[in-house]
Amino acid sequence: MTHYLRSRHDAICVGVGTAIADDPGLNCRIAPVPAPAVADIPNGKAAVAPTPTPFPGSVVTGQPRPVVIDPQLRWDLTSQSKVMQLARAGQGLAPYIITSVSEPPAARRSLLEEHGGKFLLVQQTPDARDGRQRFDWRTILAAVRAEGLRSIMIEGGGEVINSLLSPENNELIDSVIVTIAPTWLGRGGVVVSPPRQLGEGDGGGGDGKGEGKGARPPPGPAARLANPTWLPLGEDVVLCGRIAK
Ligand SMILES: NC(=O)C1=CN([C@@H]2O[C@H](COP(=O)(O)OP(=O)(O)OC[C@H]3O[C@@H](n4cnc5c(N)ncnc54)[C@H](OP(=O)(O)O)[C@@H]3O)[C@@H](O)[C@H]2O)C=CC1
Ligand SMILES: Nc1nc(O)c(N)c(N[C@@H]2O[C@H](COP(=O)(O)O)[C@@H](O)[C@H]2O)n1
């Protein structure tokens, strides 16, 4: 499923936490999946949803562009990083690294550019919730779009997914695909639990403990997927849906 989805997007995105933890390849390791021929569709009706064509204007060539969110350049990218080895072997593309470091180390920039990657300089702004300097997802997507990339799969990890699933970003998400495997990941597993929107309350902005005037508004309804589809796939179940409005 992951590689099928990678084959359908111009770009795939992970956070620096994933890049450091996994040294991922971030390439597509299946051949492009063709749309089913009409003759293959039983009784003239599709037994499964037809394979979607890539987004209009997409530059999909079989390999997605890895996009790594690394504001402080914590990822020690070297010529031996898997993504760079795959780029040299013609089995993947070198990453675009979204950073707020205006002058990345010259050697790393040269290495990246020799492989066809680049740094994309993006300014961070204070997060409305905690004041931390963060990238706004609209700015990230605009920077990716300016490179001619028209579709992006946000693959992980937990912090990236939580930040994108924040209520204020819901309108940016076309669809959500979750694979559920019969596995407990344990303490080191990825926890996805985006913040919940506050509901209509008295809005007093108090300490959140009290009742009535001055208390924090109660939480609004929990976020849900609309029209969810559950598909068994081997031992796993794949959940697809759109964010409910
Ligand atoms: N099962 C699955 O499908 C997947 C699992 N994973 C797993 O996820 C784990 C890593 O997850 P996690 O540790 O949460 O790390 P992430 O990969 O989510 O990266 C988090 C880092 O990315 C940067 N970042 C994320 N969002 C923003 C933003 N809006 N603005 C600025 N910077 C941002 C921050 O870097 P900084 O701290 O430098 O500010 C942050 O610490 C790995 O173990 C990996 O195996 C990963 C992908 C898929
Ligand atoms: N196990 C798993 N299932 C998925 O559905 C995933 N999207 C991932 N994602 C991440 O993919 C990376 C694997 O490395 P390659 O890029 O394929 O070399 C790794 O970062 C996983 O955390 N994983």
Side-chain angles (χ1 to χ4, degrees), residues 204-228:
D207 63 5
K209 293 176 191 153
E211 298 285 330
K213 196 168 174 54
R216 189 173 292 173
R224 289 184 66 87
L225 292 182
N227 304 318

Side-chain angles (χ1 to χ4, degrees), residues 126-241:
D127 186 287
R129 234 171 249 110
D130 57 14
R132 272 171 85 199
Q133 289 289 319
R134 304 312 278 155
F135 293 131
D136 184 298
W137 275 95
R138 286 161 184 78
T139 320
I140 293 176
L141 296 178
V144 170
R145 178 68 186 82
E147 296 298 323
L149 301 167
R150 303 280 297 258
S151 63
I152 185 165
M153 173 169 74
I154 313 298
E155 201 166 299
E159 183 166 342
V160 162
I161 298 283
N162 279 329
S163 124
L164 181 61
L165 283 176
S166 287
E168 68 273 17
N169 294 326
N170 283 355
E171 66 186 19
L172 304 176
I173 301 169
D174 291 315
S175 57
V176 176
I177 300 179
V178 180
T179 302
I180 300 165
T183 305
W184 277 268
L185 292 176
R187 189 170 290 183
V190 177
V191 176
V192 176
S193 183
R196 197 159 164 188
Q197 192 118 45
L198 294 178
E200 301 289 321
D202 60 15
D207 63 5
K209 293 176 191 153
E211 298 285 330
K213 196 168 174 54
R216 189 173 292 173
R224 289 184 66 87
L225 292 182
N227 304 318
T229 306
W230 298 83
L231 304 165
L233 192 72
E235 292 190 334
D236 301 344
V237 175
V238 179
L239 164 63
C240 311

